[in-house]
Amino acid sequence: VSALCLGAIKPQEKPPAAAARDGIRREITEGIRFVVRDPFLRTLACFGALGNLALNGIQAVQTVFLVRDVHLDGGAVGLVFAAVSTGGLAGVWAAGRIVRRFGTARGLLLSYLVVAPGIVLLPFAGSGLPLPVSVLGWALGVGGVVTANVISSSFSQSYCPPEMLGRVRASSSTVNYGAIPVGALLGGYLGEALGTRGTIWIMAGVLVTANLVLLVSPIRALRDFPQRAEAPRTDA
């Protein structure tokens, strides 16, 4: 389905003009410098890293948690994951509508600060809350993360100067995706040391606490993200 959707896209754009290459090290340095200096890209990269660390820490123990702590069989675990996945589909569907209603910056804050914390209901599963309620909170959390990802990725693509987009995305992705194996390893270690429920509590807390990165950034005062970044500086 993904291949068919991508194949149906008919881009109307000219290839970029050929430019002299400055060397891979210089280009990497320029991409890192651009992200570090820009308050919006820097904020999103740092928040994304913390979010990926927390989410992958949860994913490292979630199946064991559902089997050993919530006492679900294999089929029930599959149904839980299927239900949670609908939150991601809903997040994709809702992204455009949220942006039109609230704006890009406020839409991202709404997704992360209001919807995504629903994942804190997950560790209550089988202890304090009915499983469907916890699964609903989990699905809402996933939906909030997906919606915010759509908004932030669209912002980066429209905001960065075209000649810098590849370098900026590579720099941001290195920070974001580099946190994934760290979160998975940390989740596995904590799961062994503290148990799966305690690990999910900690990682959910990290995800919620990461919102402070957004609240202390310029994003909190905006309705919409700016349209275009300033041209990159050429000084060393």
Side-chain angles (χ1 to χ4, degrees):
V1 172
S2 297
L4 291 174
C5 291
L6 290 172
I9 297 175
K10 305 299 181 184
Q12 300 294 326
E13 58 183 5
K14 297 180 180 179
R21 299 297 299 270
D22 294 326
I24 187 64
R25 291 184 179 179
R26 181 176 178 84
E27 291 182 353
I28 291 174
T29 301
E30 289 177 348
I32 295 173
R33 183 184 296 125
F34 194 88
V35 172
V36 170
R37 289 179 175 177
D38 188 275
F40 303 106
L41 298 175
R42 181 176 67 245
T43 296
L44 293 176
C46 292
F47 179 85
L50 287 173
N52 279 334
L53 186 146
L55 291 171
N56 283 274
I58 291 173
Q59 289 176 9
V61 299
Q62 62 189 14
T63 301
V64 179
F65 168 70
L66 291 174
V67 172
R68 293 185 181 176
D69 292 74
V70 188
H71 308 296
L72 300 182
D73 59 25
V77 171
L79 289 175
V80 167
F81 288 156
V84 171
S85 297
T86 62
L89 295 174
V92 174
W93 174 83
R97 292 162 175 79
I98 289 175
V99 165
R100 288 190 291 272
R101 176 67 176 83
F102 299 101
T104 52
R106 289 182 184 174
L108 182 136
L109 291 176
L110 174 66
S111 301
Y112 275 141
L113 302 183
V114 179
V115 182
I119 203 168
V120 299
L121 296 181
L122 173 58
F124 285 109
S127 177
L129 283 178
L131 179 61
V133 176
S134 295
V135 171
L136 176 60
W138 192 0
L140 288 173
V142 170
V145 170
V146 170
T147 298
N149 285 344
V150 172
I151 295 173
S152 61
S153 296
S154 299
F155 161 67
S156 297
Q157 292 178 25
S158 62
Y159 178 71
C160 296
E163 68 274 14
M164 290 295 298
L165 180 58
R167 280 167 274 183
V168 168
R169 293 297 296 168
S171 299
S172 299
S173 295
T174 299
V175 176
N176 288 338
Y177 300 152
I180 290 176
V182 176
L185 289 170
L186 183 59
Y189 173 79
L190 292 176
E192 179 71 19
L194 304 176
T196 56
R197 194 183 300 273
T199 299
I200 294 175
W201 268 119
I202 292 172
M203 291 301 175
V206 171
L207 182 62
V208 174
T209 303
N211 290 331
L212 294 176
V213 175
L214 300 177
L215 293 176
V216 299
S217 75
I219 297 175
R220 71 183 187 280
L222 300 178
R223 183 186 188 278
D224 290 290
F225 284 111
Q227 294 297 312
R228 178 70 69 184
E230 295 181 1
R233 296 172 59 182
T234 57
D235 57 310

